[in-house]
């Protein structure tokens, strides 16, 4: 059973704080993704990684950075949290093989509130 | 740029009613199409997917979707909904163009089924 876990379900931070969101997958997947989910906007891709130490910007990378030092772990970093980053953050992973394996598996999400 | 449009943001049905959720995408090339579902308090999970072949795809829990290439549509259907189908449904598209292929999600449709 594919498992994607995220370090926290709920997080409350103050404006200006540095925030780390951690994601771990146990299926040896090459690809990992960070999305934010906002009502009426669906899921928007922040960053993704297709290999260790590799990263690519998604559609809304501003204000975020990522780190992938190990294959199973993908971290999202908010260098200086702002109130407009209050959101649900979802991590996902997928196999890097042929298209039929491109299903993404999602973690439970981290609901971040920035005060 | 690729985009996905889900026509209904909120749908309210009574049990046993039939369901059809619209999804249209803008991309002229080869696509993979997905419907994901998020039950209250749970992970986003795959409902069904289309890669090639029969355009009528059957998924879990009695859901099906039909890919109509000429209409750029991938509508989700269920003949008779249950209270347990109350969830948010997301359509997603993966287009194949130069560079890495990302999933583009629609804004989601919240379905409420009343007993």
């Amino acid at each position: 059973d594919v498992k994607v876990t995220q370090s926290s379900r709920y997080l409350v931070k103050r404006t200006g704080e540095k925030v780390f969101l951690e994601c771990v997958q146990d299926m040896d997947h090459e690809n990992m993704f960070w999305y934010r989910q906002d009502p009426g906007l669906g899921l928007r891709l922040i960053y993704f990684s297709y290999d260790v130490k590799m990263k690519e910007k998604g559609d809304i990378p501003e204000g975020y950075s990522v780190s992938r030092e190990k294959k199973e772990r993908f971290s999202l970093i908010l260098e200086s949290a702002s109130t407009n980053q209050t959101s649900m953050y979802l991590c996902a992973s997928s196999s890097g093989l042929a298209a039929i394996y491109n299903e993404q598996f999602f973690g439970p999400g981290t609901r971040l509130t920035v005060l | 740029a690729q985009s996905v449009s889900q026509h209904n943001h909120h749908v309210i049905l009574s049990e046993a009613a039939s369901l059809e959720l619209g999804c249209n995408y803008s991309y002229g090339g080869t696509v993979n199409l997905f419907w994901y579902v998020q039950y209250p308090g749970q992970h986003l999970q795959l409902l069904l997917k289309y890669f090639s072949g029969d355009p009528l795809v059957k998924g879990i829990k009695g859901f099906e979707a039909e890919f109509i290439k000429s209409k750029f549509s991938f509508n989700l259907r269920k003949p008779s909904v249950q209270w347990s189908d109350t969830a948010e449904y997301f359509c997603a598209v993966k287009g194949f163009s130069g560079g890495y292929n990302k999933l583009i999600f629609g804004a989601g449709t919240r379905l409420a089924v009343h007993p």
Side-chain angles (χ1 to χ4, degrees), chain B residues 31-50:
Chain B
V31 292
N32 289 352
L33 298 157
F34 305 81
W35 275 98
Y36 280 84
V37 61
Q38 189 172 35
Y39 297 103
Q42 295 190 26
H43 299 206
L44 207 65
Q45 57 185 281
L46 185 69
L47 203 53
L48 49 79
K49 60 190 176 189
Y50 170 81

Side-chain angles (χ1 to χ4, degrees), chain B residues 9-43:
Chain B
H9 293 297
H10 296 276
V11 174
I12 302 172
L13 295 173
S14 298
E15 275 193 317
S18 65
L19 170 71
E20 181 160 4
L21 301 182
C23 173
N24 284 91
Y25 63 92
S26 64
Y27 184 74
T30 302
V31 292
N32 289 352
L33 298 157
F34 305 81
W35 275 98
Y36 280 84
V37 61
Q38 189 172 35
Y39 297 103
Q42 295 190 26
H43 299 206

Side-chain angles (χ1 to χ4, degrees), chain A residues 24-36:
Chain A
V24 177
Q25 50 93 5
D26 66 359
M27 285 304 292
D28 201 35
H29 282 167
E30 286 78 8
N31 308 320
M32 296 189 75
F33 308 83
W34 276 106
Y35 295 89
R36 62 178 284 176

